[in-house]
Amino acid sequence: METTLPSHVKRFIYQPFTDSSRQIRLVILEPALSDEDDITCRLEVGETLGASYQSLSYVWGDPVPHSRTISLNDQPFSVTTSLYNALRNLRMITDDPTQSKAFWIDAICIDQKNDGERSEQVQKMASIYQAANRVVIWLGDYSEAEDDNFQFDLRTWGFDSLASGNFETTREAFKLAEDLHLEYINGFNFETSRITQANLDVKIWGYLTLLFRRSWFRRLWVIQELIMAKNALVVCGRMKIWWAALSGAASAIGRYTGTAGDLPVERYPFIYRMGHDYVKYAGLVGISRRDLISIIHATRYSRVTDPRDRLFAIRGLVERPEEADFDVDYSKECHVIFRDWARSYIERTRKLQVLNACLGNQSRDENLPSWVPDLRMWHYIDPDIFSRSFRVYQRDRDNSIPYAASGALLCPEMPVDETSTFLSLSGLKVGKIAKIISYEYIHYYTVLDAAFTLTDLLVACEEQISAHLGTPLEHGTSLYKAFLDVLFKGSITYGGRKLNDTLQNCYSVWRNHVPPPAYFELGFSDELRKQAYLGQFEDTLGKMIQDGEIFITETGQLGGLGKFGAAKVGDDVFVLLGGNTPFVLRSREGESQGNSKDYQLQSSCYLHGAMDGQAIAAWRTGDLELETIRLL
């Protein structure tokens, strides 16, 4: 959130707060008669509660170099082009051209050079946005340079680019969004709907697509700003639309995907992905806010400039702020912020969910112990293993049961040493990796001309398992069941996917090991019955195994993990007390001290026959030995 001023502009001198716990600064944007008028503002101090103001949610843009200057308290003040354009337009959108407007704008209202003030004010941002009369979302001008980066597929759309957006195209795109929102509320009428091919203006859909792609939707800070809003107004140029309408449009697009073959979301599936991934996730729809880890996982693809904001930008979203496990402090380095948060979480909960977000690859911050997640890399963790190790999505209650590898046992009290360097834990060694089989599969929607098929990859995987174990992997055998258990990581269904049967039964039909059930689609040919039975299964399978690996232990157990953990043959697999999954650890025997053995954490994993307390039961009967280890 820090900016750099050009040399010719003197730094604005902020007056300190008299009571920073209760006060905020407000930008008073003066009216103008034309765009040519200079942007003039006043900076006033007000109470967080009781003041009448709007909060601005926007993308800062490139802070270096600053290219525009406004007048603030009769002094020059440098702002980014993005903020300059927002102020220039917002002052003209009014029923009374003589009326000034009060805004809270982070880049102006916080002294960005004062780490103490910056930390205190950022920690209050949730309440600042919550107290605002309205949150104004600035998407940018009618046309932005980033719009030109999207290449339309000529074969699908009938054009490969669009003319620059303007007032008319934005008005039509917003009108389409409002129509979609109404259809989402009132129901879909196939004959009159604007989302059917007969009533489709393809270019307007194109402009709506470009709006969904604006950088605002991918910025992490906007999620808190939106969630806390009493109401939110979206502004593009000088066109306005309520956030509820834009969000409703995204919901409509998602609802009608797959319902009729001539809907534009069928021809242009990326419209659905944009609406879902950008618009819906901006509102954290369906995401649990009971725990910070849930929110970190849900927002892992959102963008920040300062890695510390991976935590700072979402602190206000936790339903119980006392369980955030950190305070905003911009005076601390990134690795210290991450480490202190992980330590506080583990010591408060005595659970090891934090470890499920750790990866031992070479790209992680070398200043972090292996048991501290590098939040810059969260998007590389295995989403299925992580989600089921900790109930991330509220809908998971209906689709899956969380893992419980260590049962209800907790990790030791105060397991972190005084220097926060190592983590002392108790665990059971349940295996050593003897072979790793990578799927080497990139999901087909990103590689349309792939020379291999998904079937080829799974056949090769089955053959490697059989060859290593010297046992045929045949339908109905215990090895086959273990393979399917690991392939789907214990899942029976997959999210909201509409499958006609369990994943395991679908796989057997897909591989032609068994025919579809006899009762299914009688009267059709065998091939048509199979296609109808499988539905979206192959697409689901591809998503579930993407970036995954299967491993075999020295005793022949099968397991699964994500390839970005960089596991290798010889690594140990442990069930650690307080952990819901087993973990892949790499021995650091040369650094061990006393009775503890030292390890480096590589990743969490799925191990067949060890996900529901079986290792704890074996320890209690004397078949496994509890060890004391240290994670460095």
Side-chain angles (χ1 to χ4, degrees):
M1 295 178 63
E2 184 173 328
T3 60
T4 303
L5 296 173
S7 58
H8 67 279
V9 178
K10 291 184 179 180
R11 180 169 176 248
F12 182 85
I13 304 301
Y14 285 87
Q15 297 302 313
F17 294 109
T18 57
D19 185 354
S20 59
S21 64
R22 299 174 55 190
Q23 293 176 321
I24 58 173
R25 298 188 185 95
L26 294 175
V27 176
I28 310 302
L29 177 61
E30 301 293 358
L33 297 177
S34 72
D35 282 337
E36 285 68 39
D37 290 350
D38 292 338
I39 296 176
T40 303
C41 301
R42 291 179 284 114
L43 197 61
E44 298 182 352
V45 174
E47 299 286 329
T48 306
L49 298 177
S52 178
Y53 64 94
Q54 302 177 82
S55 289
L56 183 63
S57 178
Y58 68 107
V59 175
W60 276 42
D62 186 4
V64 182
H66 280 286
S67 56
R68 311 307 291 263
T69 301
I70 65 171
S71 174
L72 184 65
N73 290 1
D74 297 321
Q75 299 179 51
F77 189 92
S78 190
V79 297
T80 62
T81 299
S82 173
L83 179 52
Y84 182 90
N85 289 337
L87 295 173
R88 177 175 56 83
N89 283 278
L90 291 173
R91 65 181 179 170
M92 305 297 289
I93 303 176
T94 179
D95 295 330
D96 184 354
T98 66
Q99 187 68 40
S100 59
K101 299 180 179 182
F103 285 93
W104 189 87
I105 304 171
D106 53 1
I108 302 177
C109 296
I110 300 175
D111 183 355
Q112 301 294 328
K113 294 291 185 180
N114 184 331
D115 279 344
E117 177 183 308
R118 186 179 172 210
S119 300
E120 185 175 35
Q121 290 286 297
V122 167
Q123 188 145 318
K124 291 170 54 179
M125 277 180 64
S127 62
I128 291 172
Y129 276 84
Q130 194 170 35
N133 300 335
R134 174 185 298 164
V135 171
V136 176
I137 297 168
W138 171 250
L139 289 186
D141 277 326
Y142 300 126
S143 178
E144 292 284 347
E146 64 179 310
D147 297 341
D148 298 331
N149 296 331
F150 183 74
Q151 188 72 32
F152 289 93
D153 186 338
L154 179 64
R155 294 169 297 179
T156 301
W157 287 86
F159 52 84
D160 57 12
S161 63
L162 288 170
S164 296
N166 54 44
F167 173 82
E168 292 295 334
T169 60
T170 306
R171 182 178 65 178
E172 287 300 310
F174 279 1
K175 179 63 167 59
L176 173 59
E178 289 170 342
D179 289 346
L180 293 172
H181 178 220
L182 289 175
E183 293 197 17
Y184 180 69
I185 295 173
N186 300 323
F188 174 68
N189 186 318
F190 187 81
E191 293 182 357
T192 61
S193 172
R194 286 193 69 184
I195 63 174
T196 61
Q197 198 67 34
N199 300 305
L200 171 67
D201 183 337
V202 180
K203 289 193 175 181
I204 298 304
W205 278 85
Y207 283 112
L208 182 60
T209 297
L210 292 180
L211 289 179
F212 278 172
R213 292 189 69 257
R214 290 287 176 92
S215 296
W216 182 88
F217 292 102
R218 301 190 293 278
R219 178 175 170 260
L220 180 56
W221 277 102
V222 307
I223 297 176
Q224 175 178 255
E225 296 162 4
L226 178 63
I227 292 292
M228 295 301 167
K230 294 174 183 174
N231 58 73
L233 183 69
V234 180
V235 178
C236 180
R238 290 179 189 167
M239 288 299 304
K240 302 176 292 184
I241 186 173
W242 291 108
W243 168 260
L246 204 60
S247 177
S251 297
I253 290 170
R255 171 179 288 184
Y256 301 125
T257 299
T259 59
D262 60 355
L263 297 186
V265 289
E266 290 295 306
R267 288 183 59 198
Y268 317 123
F270 50 84
I271 295 178
Y272 166 72
R273 292 203 298 274
M274 288 175 186
H276 184 266
D277 296 346
Y278 295 169
V279 184
K280 297 299 288 182
Y281 276 151
L284 286 187
V285 175
I287 307 301
S288 170
R289 291 171 51 199
R290 291 174 300 173
D291 192 285
L292 190 78
I293 295 180
S294 302
I295 303 171
I296 296 173
H297 183 70
T299 60
R300 63 193 182 277
Y301 295 116
S302 298
R303 297 175 181 175
V304 295
T305 301
D306 186 334
R308 293 173 293 187
D309 289 340
R310 283 282 164 207
L311 289 175
F312 295 168
I314 61 174
R315 188 184 188 279
L317 294 173
V318 184
E319 290 179 353
R320 295 184 291 269
E322 67 275 10
E323 296 183 3
D325 296 306
F326 71 92
D327 289 321
V328 176
D329 189 347
Y330 280 102
S331 69
K332 293 183 179 180
E333 295 183 72
C334 183
H335 70 275
V336 176
I337 295 292
F338 292 175
R339 185 195 64 201
D340 290 352
W341 163 68
R343 172 179 179 168
S344 295
Y345 179 89
I346 293 170
E347 290 182 343
R348 176 177 61 82
T349 65
R350 294 181 62 193
K351 296 179 181 179
L352 302 180
Q353 276 93 344
V354 165
L355 272 59
N356 289 100
C358 295
L359 295 171
N361 61 29
Q362 297 299 314
S363 300
R364 62 181 280 114
D365 187 338
E366 62 183 11
N367 293 309
L368 291 174
S370 69
W371 51 271
V372 176
D374 187 341
L375 301 186
R376 303 170 308 160
M377 302 171 53
W378 192 291
H379 52 285
Y380 289 116
I381 66 173
D382 186 297
D384 294 321
I385 292 178
F386 180 85
S387 295
R388 293 196 61 197
S389 69
F390 187 84
R391 276 184 175 145
V392 170
Y393 299 103
Q394 292 174 339
R395 61 178 179 269
D396 275 355
R397 300 174 194 157
D398 301 322
N399 295 320
S400 64
I401 300 173
Y403 302 151
S406 66
L409 299 182
L410 301 176
C411 72
E413 293 189 42
M414 304 297 291
V416 185
D417 74 304
E418 293 181 356
T419 64
S420 297
T421 302
F422 58 83
L423 184 64
S424 296
L425 298 171
S426 300
L428 304 161
K429 185 187 293 187
V430 292
K432 182 182 287 289
I433 296 179
K435 184 175 180 61
I436 296 177
I437 302 168
S438 177
Y439 298 118
E440 293 297 337
Y441 178 63
I442 301 176
H443 196 253
Y444 67 82
Y445 66 66
T446 61
V447 185
L448 297 176
D449 58 348
F452 45 78
T453 68
L454 186 57
T455 305
D456 295 334
L457 296 168
L458 269 299
V459 168
C461 182
E462 293 176 15
E463 290 174 346
Q464 289 186 65
I465 293 172
S466 294
H468 181 82
L469 296 176
T471 304
L473 200 159
E474 296 177 344
H475 181 265
T477 64
S478 59
L479 179 59
Y480 187 85
K481 293 177 181 178
F483 168 68
L484 294 186
D485 178 54
V486 169
L487 187 68
F488 299 115
K489 301 159 194 164
S491 295
I492 297 174
T493 60
Y494 183 71
R497 290 271 168 170
K498 295 179 180 179
L499 300 178
N500 292 307
D501 209 335
T502 66
L503 291 166
Q504 290 75 9
N505 288 344
C506 285
Y507 183 86
S508 298
V509 173
W510 179 73
R511 283 283 287 111
N512 293 318
H513 293 151
V514 295
Y519 62 83
F520 193 84
E521 297 290 1
L522 295 176
F524 287 88
S525 67
D526 290 345
E527 185 59 30
L528 288 177
R529 288 179 63 236
K530 176 182 175 182
Q531 292 177 11
Y533 172 79
L534 291 176
Q536 295 180 310
F537 172 75
E538 184 166 322
D539 178 66
T540 299
L541 175 61
K543 285 180 169 64
M544 294 190 74
I545 72 168
Q546 188 174 6
D547 297 327
E549 295 176 327
I550 281 183
F551 66 86
I552 307 174
T553 69
E554 290 182 344
T555 58
Q557 281 181 282
L558 298 185
L561 44 70
K563 71 177 183 181
F564 294 110
K568 65 181 183 181
V569 172
D571 287 342
D572 293 315
V573 182
F574 270 80
V575 168
L576 302 174
L577 301 195
N580 287 337
T581 68
F583 295 94
V584 177
L585 308 183
R586 185 165 298 163
S587 175
R588 300 280 292 273
E589 289 185 5
E591 302 173 42
S592 298
Q593 298 179 5
N595 296 324
S596 298
K597 295 181 180 178
D598 288 352
Y599 290 89
Q600 175 179 304
L601 174 62
Q602 294 302 124
S603 72
S604 56
C605 69
Y606 185 92
L607 183 65
H608 176 67
M611 302 305 296
D612 194 20
Q614 295 93 331
I616 302 301
W619 164 54
R620 286 172 171 158
T621 59
D623 295 322
L624 288 176
E625 180 181 351
L626 192 66
E627 302 181 35
T628 300
I629 68 166
R630 298 195 314 172
L631 294 183
L632 304 182

